[in-house]
Amino acid sequence: MVGTYNGKYPDGSSSMGGYADFARVPAHFTIKIPSALKSEDAAPMMCGGITVYSPLKKNGAGPGKRVGIVGLGGLGHFGVLFAKALGCEQVVAISRRRNKEKDAIAMGATGYIATAEDEKWARKHSQSLDLIISTVSSPDMPLESYLRLLRTNGTFIQVGAPEDKLPRIGAYSLIQKGVKVGGSNIGSPKDIEEMLKFAAEKGVKPWIEQRNMKDANKSVVDMEDGKARYRYVLVNADQDGRAKL
């Protein structure tokens, strides 16, 4: 297997991933982008989008379900968009601060919890959600409080990847309500194809900002500083100066 970025081919050359000028792969690894989706919208779905779409579908998100999305960043905003498009009864965005509440509501969220500002939020919203998808990449999270939000037999899925260990949790946080805790990585080519068709049918459109490829380094810095709203898409400029993916 050759990694997407900086992997080594048998001839010693390196894979360039999204920075490559062209790619040649077996046909069964390729996925057709529906004509209803613009390339700049489909591009971030191939990673961030499928990372949340897959666990939402596999854990029953849909009509009658109450779903919470922890973190409203590049991944989290996809979580809100897809949960809404899947027809979930409630879509609750969960973030530290209330500064993204208007954005979350515009994306389709029906509720918002600011964990650093709302008093006794875990008690107030106890047993209100069937499924929580956590997209945060910091190990500094109130995990046991998140589990309090789950209803009986609820599920917590971690998709963000903290470099350190997750917080410890008491056994009774799981036992009392039959709560399940798991994780999810990305999705298969079949899952991605399904997601793209679904996005095209439902008109799911990510919140993106296109930036020139020459500004890639600055975009990485801005992303780490939390300035992205909510995905940067890098584009090349052709000889006429027009941007293209």
Side-chain angles (χ1 to χ4, degrees), residues 9 32 52 92 109 119 134 136 158 162 177 179 215 225 239:
Y9 291 107
K32 183 178 181 180
V52 292
V92 180
E119 293 186 5
S134 173
V136 296
Q158 180 70 28
K177 295 184 294 184
V179 167
D215 297 322
D225 288 342
Q239 293 180 349

Side-chain angles (χ1 to χ4, degrees), residues 60-171:
K65 296 295 183 179
R66 304 174 183 181
V67 176
I69 304 297
V70 179
L72 195 67
L75 288 176
H77 104 286
F78 269 121
V80 173
L81 291 170
F82 277 127
K84 177 65 175 180
L86 285 165
C88 294
E89 179 181 330
Q90 293 184 20
V91 181
V92 180
I94 304 170
S95 187
R96 290 181 181 273
R97 305 292 178 185
R98 197 161 288 280
N99 60 326
K100 296 182 180 179
E101 182 176 12
K102 289 184 178 180
D103 286 354
I105 300 303
M107 293 171 192
T110 59
Y112 192 95
I113 298 174
T115 60
E117 298 179 5
D118 296 353
E119 293 186 5
K120 299 179 180 179
W121 59 270
R123 178 187 300 179
K124 179 179 179 181
H125 300 283
S126 177
Q127 301 189 61
S128 62
L129 301 173
D130 300 295
L131 171 65
I132 295 175
I133 305 294
S134 173
T135 70
V136 296
S137 296
S138 169
D140 181 23
M141 66 174 76
L143 182 53
E144 285 204 338
S145 293
Y146 292 154
L147 297 183
R148 286 189 64 182
L149 303 180
L150 291 173
R151 304 170 78 186
T152 300
N153 297 324
T155 301
F156 178 93
I157 300 294
Q158 180 70 28
V159 300
E163 294 183 0
D164 204 347
K165 296 179 181 179
L166 291 177
R168 296 174 61 181
I169 54 176

